[in-house]
Amino acid sequence: MKDEVIKFISEVVKPWETLNRQLSAPFSMNPAINDFITTASALTLAIKHLPEATLKIKPEILAQESQSYEIISDLADSLKHGKLRNPDRECKITVSSIFERNQDAKVRFLRNGISIFHKTHKKIDFMECAMESAIFIATKLDIRSDWKPKIFNNC
């Protein structure tokens, strides 16, 4: 198995699947800092840097080809550096619980969600964006797998 495949599975697929499963559990978290944010931050950095680390593909090139990768790249830079030279690229992430309410005012937990708040692209679901970016970089790295990510929802 090629090194980039092993790195992709261990640094992207496994953390994404683990985080997805954890977000489906009914936990209440501090929205600003928690284990979900820590895991999402590491996953963000892995997605951004894997193509460069394995095949020397510059993130700036990939960002022009995929909006989800562009957002992940901006988030990685924001997490790492805080304020960016171009403030339109700045982002932050938070966690919130997502509930469904019926007509009788009964609520049901669906999942915890991680949101990216991007200055240009506004509010984005982190798991969807990370999933799209991961599939994009897998294609760029010519990684063929049977990974078919699906975001868990307690529906």
Side-chain angles (χ1 to χ4, degrees):
M1 195 178 294
K2 297 187 300 185
D3 284 348
E4 54 264 20
V5 174
I6 295 168
K7 282 182 167 285
F8 181 75
I9 291 168
S10 63
E11 295 177 15
V12 176
V13 173
K14 186 177 177 189
W16 189 93
E17 290 292 345
T18 301
L19 182 59
N20 188 33
R21 189 175 52 255
Q22 290 170 340
L23 289 170
S24 70
F27 292 121
S28 178
M29 295 287 201
N30 177 331
I33 187 69
N34 52 66
D35 288 344
F36 296 152
I37 297 292
T38 302
T39 303
S41 297
L43 179 57
T44 298
L45 294 171
I47 292 170
K48 177 180 180 173
H49 293 296
L50 188 62
E52 188 173 25
T54 57
L55 295 180
K56 308 294 185 233
I57 304 171
K58 295 285 183 196
E60 299 80 20
I61 303 294
L62 297 176
Q64 295 172 8
E65 298 179 38
S66 166
Q67 184 175 356
S68 63
Y69 182 84
E70 174 191 12
I71 292 166
I72 289 294
S73 180
D74 289 349
L75 179 59
D77 289 345
S78 293
L79 291 168
K80 187 174 177 183
H81 304 293
K83 289 203 174 278
L84 304 177
R85 277 183 243 148
N86 179 353
D88 290 341
R89 293 182 55 231
E90 291 177 7
C91 330
K92 64 178 182 171
I93 54 177
T94 62
V95 173
S96 60
S97 296
I98 303 167
F99 293 90
E100 176 180 73
R101 186 180 140 210
N102 69 13
Q103 292 177 339
D104 298 328
K106 293 181 181 175
V107 295
R108 182 170 67 110
F109 174 81
L110 295 177
R111 74 180 183 71
N112 287 300
I114 301 174
S115 296
I116 303 170
F117 293 93
H118 192 284
K119 288 264 177 101
T120 302
H121 301 290
K122 306 303 176 205
K123 185 178 177 183
I124 300 127
D125 183 287
F126 172 81
M127 293 303 289
E128 285 181 26
C129 190
M131 175 180 66
E132 291 169 5
S133 297
I135 292 168
F136 170 73
I137 66 167
T139 302
K140 287 296 180 184
L141 298 175
D142 196 28
I143 294 172
R144 296 180 188 107
S145 77
D146 60 355
W147 183 51
K148 295 192 179 19
K150 183 179 185 306
I151 297 171
F152 297 143
N153 227 354
N154 293 321
C155 294

